[in-house]
Amino acid sequence: MVHADGHTSPGSDPNPNHMNKFACGCAIVASTISIIFGYDTGVMSGAQIFIREDLKINDTQIEILAGILNLCALVGSLTAGKTSDVIGRRYTIALSAVIFLVGSVLMGYSPNYAVLMVGRCIAGVGVGFALMIAPVYSAEISSASHRGFLTSLPELCISLGILLGYVSNYCFGKLTLKLGWRLMLGIAAFPSLILAFGIMKMPESPRWLVMQGRLEEAKKIMVLVSNTQEEAEERFRDILIAAEIEEETAVKAVGGGVTKNHGKSVWMELVIKPRPAVRLILIAAVGIHFFEHATGIEAVVLYSPRIFKKAGVVSKDKLLLATVGVGVTKAIFIIIATFLLDKVGRRKLLLTSTGGMVFALTSLAVSLTMVQRFGRLAWALSLSIVSTYAFVAFFSIGVGPITWVYSSEIFPLRLRAQGASIGVAVNRIMNATVSMSFLSMTKAITTGGVFFVFAGIAVAAWWFFFFMLPETKGVPLEEMEKLFGGGGPRGDRDGLEIQTKRVSN
């Protein structure tokens, strides 16, 4: 580790090309909030089987129970942007952990459907906070060369949480009916409690501190998350330029602070009267979040036992084991993606991922349609399981992690938290739409028909990504606006040149 006096701590690597261990540790701790969210999502996949039997509820109530998490997350995500701008990124993560804790306790206790819904709603608000703040914090402490890896950690943690939820289904499903599903839902309270205290040991985002005028604190933290004094100073200068603070003012302010930069309303700059480059950035962020869930991943994650049952798997144990396989596949391929993001780049992975999803969804739709028409067929059963796993694999190596990496890195500093919150809001709306309508749609146009629709949406997604999303690998956060034709913090001199390289990259 390099300190402000230029000395290096034992065990640190001053090579600027190596990942900073302190920054990596902070991103890992911040991303653990996503494990709790992933667990809440995954555990409902199997828990709903037992909840339906115990509380005597119907398919419509199950759809509402599954989807209400995302509608409440919409409230959380829209609130989280402003909250994190006011109280800071670190305290916002702690707040989301506390909200998860309350929701998990209520769901674990729930004597009836009404209390279960209240607990699920509260947990949903925590989801909205977690989905917005974890990628933003990770992006803001990362260097450009390792930002893809560190910012994809929240998505990896979501996948690990989903896998733990599936494993919890299988293990606690062997207990009594009344106890099993309540333990599945309530056990998430323990990691929430640990995280709420653990997060306080982490530093605040240096970029947020600059926006608050706390320049001395920001510079000290930037030294900690950089490999050399020179790198820290260069990154700090870029943040000052992005925050529209003159370097002379900063020198005088270090040690005494500086007045906050208020300027125009964030919403005015972002939505009402955005610059052309900001408008394109907003369209890119909203689009990638829309297509992440419009292509059907939530249907597979949440209703995979039902999909496998439609394909011909009848044993409850085999259904849950096949679902565990979905979680394992998701986790493995996101781990692979975290190491490829900063080497291959966002754009190539995204286009490859979406192309593979088109073929996997089409194959799954065909196999389920054959089972629907001709009854149980061994080859159709095998093809449906393989296609499901292939879809999850292609999604997890590209669209899944890149959605969060991309949308958290492209917004200008002053607009980042609120811009990310808009993306998360769209994400949750689409998630809720799919999770609350999937069962009804399968009754209207068959399960195979629904996946044909998802395949068509995936084709549209590929074209949107191809034309609207430039490569961001290795580009400093403070220079992102230039990729979309804006001047960026250093003026207009590179904007046109970078813009012309969008398709070739």
Side-chain angles (χ1 to χ4, degrees):
M1 194 68 60
V2 183
H3 297 291
D5 59 4
H7 289 92
T8 305
S9 300
S12 69
D13 190 342
N15 187 336
N17 294 321
H18 290 184
M19 186 181 299
N20 181 276
K21 293 177 183 177
F22 185 73
C24 183
C26 291
I28 289 171
V29 174
S31 300
T32 53
I33 189 69
S34 300
I35 292 181
I36 304 168
F37 158 55
Y39 180 86
D40 268 0
T41 300
V43 78
M44 188 55 68
S45 173
Q48 62 180 272
I49 299 171
F50 305 101
I51 293 170
R52 180 187 177 119
E53 187 178 343
D54 186 24
L55 300 183
K56 306 294 188 289
I57 58 179
N58 57 37
D59 274 353
T60 301
Q61 289 173 303
I62 287 289
E63 279 185 323
I64 294 171
L65 181 63
I68 199 69
L69 184 85
N70 297 300
L71 288 181
C72 294
L74 173 62
V75 177
S77 64
L78 291 174
T79 309
K82 182 64 175 176
T83 302
S84 70
D85 278 346
V86 173
I87 68 174
R89 314 314 196 208
R90 184 177 59 153
Y91 285 113
T92 304
I93 296 173
L95 178 60
S96 66
V98 171
I99 296 171
F100 269 127
L101 172 64
V102 174
S104 298
V105 169
L106 278 175
M107 287 191 290
Y109 160 73
S110 51
N112 53 49
Y113 183 73
V115 176
L116 180 60
M117 283 289 290
V118 171
R120 189 84 168 151
C121 286
I122 293 173
V125 176
V127 166
F129 272 79
L131 285 174
M132 192 290 294
I133 195 59
V136 167
Y137 179 86
S138 299
E140 290 190 343
I141 64 167
S142 308
S143 64
S145 57
H146 297 103
R147 191 176 59 244
F149 176 85
L150 296 182
T151 313
S152 66
L153 289 178
E155 180 66 17
L156 172 60
C157 288
I158 290 173
S159 295
L160 292 175
I162 289 171
L163 176 57
L164 289 173
Y166 290 159
V167 172
S168 173
N169 289 155
Y170 185 72
C171 295
F172 291 126
K174 300 181 185 300
L175 300 178
T176 61
L177 180 62
K178 291 189 177 297
L179 180 62
W181 67 265
R182 289 181 171 87
L183 276 178
M184 293 176 195
L185 299 177
I187 202 170
F190 292 104
S192 302
L193 184 62
I194 294 168
L195 181 62
F197 289 101
I199 204 75
M200 305 315 295
K201 300 288 185 183
M202 289 168 45
E204 184 51 83
S205 160
R207 287 174 168 87
W208 180 80
L209 290 171
V210 167
M211 292 300 293
Q212 301 304 303
R214 293 157 62 179
L215 303 185
E216 185 176 13
E217 293 175 66
K219 193 165 188 178
K220 286 179 180 177
I221 293 171
M222 188 57 78
V223 170
L224 291 175
V225 298
S226 301
N227 285 332
T228 65
Q229 183 73 27
E230 292 74 19
E231 180 193 348
E233 289 176 358
E234 183 181 353
R235 291 173 66 186
F236 187 66
R237 279 195 302 271
D238 286 343
I239 296 172
L240 293 179
I241 294 169
E244 298 175 1
I245 297 173
E246 294 295 333
E247 203 163 340
E248 256 182 53
T249 307
V251 172
K252 293 175 185 175
V254 172
V258 67
T259 307
K260 296 179 192 178
N261 178 26
H262 292 289
K264 290 190 340 186
S265 161
V266 169
W267 289 109
M268 178 72 74
E269 289 185 56
L270 189 60
V271 179
I272 301 173
K273 291 183 178 178
R275 300 187 299 277
V278 171
R279 185 182 297 112
L280 287 176
I281 288 171
L282 185 62
I283 290 170
V286 168
I288 196 170
H289 276 288
F290 172 85
F291 283 117
E292 183 190 23
H293 285 290
T295 48
I297 188 62
E298 192 68 9
V300 173
V301 169
L302 200 54
Y303 297 111
S304 49
R306 287 174 178 258
I307 294 169
F308 291 135
K309 192 172 183 179
K310 285 282 185 184
V313 180
V314 289
S315 162
K316 189 180 289 186
D317 270 358
K318 287 181 179 178
L319 283 173
L320 293 178
L321 274 176
T323 303
V324 169
V326 171
V328 170
T329 303
K330 198 172 192 300
I332 288 173
F333 280 88
I334 285 186
I335 291 172
I336 295 171
T338 59
F339 291 100
L340 293 177
L341 276 167
D342 291 315
K343 294 179 181 178
V344 177
R346 286 59 153 160
R347 184 177 165 84
K348 289 178 182 176
L349 275 181
L350 195 58
L351 294 175
T352 302
S353 165
T354 312
M357 287 164 58
V358 171
F359 287 105
L361 285 166
T362 303
S363 176
L364 179 59
V366 169
S367 60
L368 290 173
T369 301
M370 295 302 290
V371 171
Q372 178 89 16
R373 290 191 176 184
F374 302 107
R376 184 185 169 95
L377 300 169
W379 69 267
L381 170 60
S382 300
L383 181 60
S384 65
I385 293 174
V386 170
S387 298
T388 301
Y389 288 173
F391 169 62
V392 171
F394 278 115
F395 174 88
S396 301
I397 206 166
V399 175
I402 291 172
T403 294
W404 302 99
V405 172
Y406 203 88
S407 62
S408 64
E409 68 185 1
I410 57 177
F411 285 100
L413 173 60
R414 182 170 142 73
L415 310 178
R416 187 169 299 133
Q418 303 284 40
S421 72
I422 292 175
V424 174
V426 172
N427 189 284
R428 294 300 92 191
I429 289 171
M430 292 311 303
N431 193 311
T433 301
V434 172
S435 58
M436 296 180 79
S437 64
F438 179 72
L439 296 181
S440 301
M441 287 175 67
T442 58
K443 291 175 182 176
I445 61 173
T446 75
T447 307
V450 174
F451 282 100
F452 274 122
V453 172
F454 289 148
I457 294 172
V459 172
W462 193 95
W463 286 106
F464 177 85
F465 298 154
F466 183 82
F467 286 109
M468 298 301 296
L469 273 60
E471 181 58 76
T472 59
K473 181 185 73 169
V475 180
L477 290 179
E478 287 69 37
E479 297 184 9
M480 284 292 173
E481 197 174 335
K482 291 193 291 187
L483 292 177
F484 293 85
R490 297 175 189 256
D492 295 326
R493 66 185 184 275
D494 299 321
L496 182 61
E497 180 184 345
I498 294 178
Q499 182 71 6
T500 57
K501 294 179 180 177
R502 283 175 58 183
V503 175
S504 62
N505 285 339

